[in-house]
Amino acid sequence: ASIMITNEIGNIVYVNPGFENISGYSFNEVKDKNPRFLKSDYHSPEFYKNIWETICNGENWVGEIKNKKKNGEYYWLKSTISPIRDKNQKISHFIAVREDITEKVEIINKLIKAKNKAEESDRLKSAFLANMSHEIRTPMNSILGFTSLLLEPDLTSEKKSKYIDVIHKSGHRM
């Protein structure tokens, strides 16, 4: 787990080795800095405003954040940020406990893409089958209809020839 402790205005006063391993930044590089340098520009300003308002109101914030490592790579964290109060119940620090969920998020995104692709393939297959059904049904109806007309006992040879020609053309269309 990555642990970060900030003072009451949000500047970093402590990070554990888990933070250093995940982010690539050492404690000396981040000490007294605001964690904004980790932002990936994935989230809106309102997202961060909501986090700050929640923890400043003395509540825990729990959610997922996409950040940027020192080397520029992006990573996802499941985060819990909690206020810490002094003996007078005034917020003195904030503690963030975070778990790297990058692999989980990537797997979920791949599954969503695969699901969307499968649904699109299913839609295409259904459209294809509906079209094929129509393309087969029309000439088949013609073949069946004219075949039944050929069974009429008083049919002239000219009409028989005409019906056989229609059946033959319908068979080629199929």
Side-chain angles (χ1 to χ4, degrees), residues 128-142:
F128 173 77
L129 290 175
N131 190 39
M132 285 304 296
S133 174
H134 173 75
E135 294 297 322
I136 292 170
R137 192 173 44 246
T138 302
M140 184 58 79
N141 285 338
S142 176

Side-chain angles (χ1 to χ4, degrees), residues 42-86:
Y42 177 82
H43 304 285
S44 68
E46 292 78 27
F47 175 83
Y48 294 104
K49 182 179 177 192
N50 172 264
I51 294 173
W52 187 246
E53 287 176 356
T54 300
I55 62 177
C56 285
N57 286 330
E59 300 172 36
N60 292 332
W61 182 88
V62 178
E64 295 177 356
I65 300 176
K66 184 177 184 179
N67 278 346
K68 187 163 50 169
K69 295 181 181 187
K70 183 178 179 178
N71 68 7
E73 290 178 24
Y74 295 103
Y75 62 103
W76 281 93
L77 297 168
K78 180 176 183 188
S79 302
T80 301
I81 305 172
S82 303
I84 299 174
R85 298 178 185 275
D86 62 18

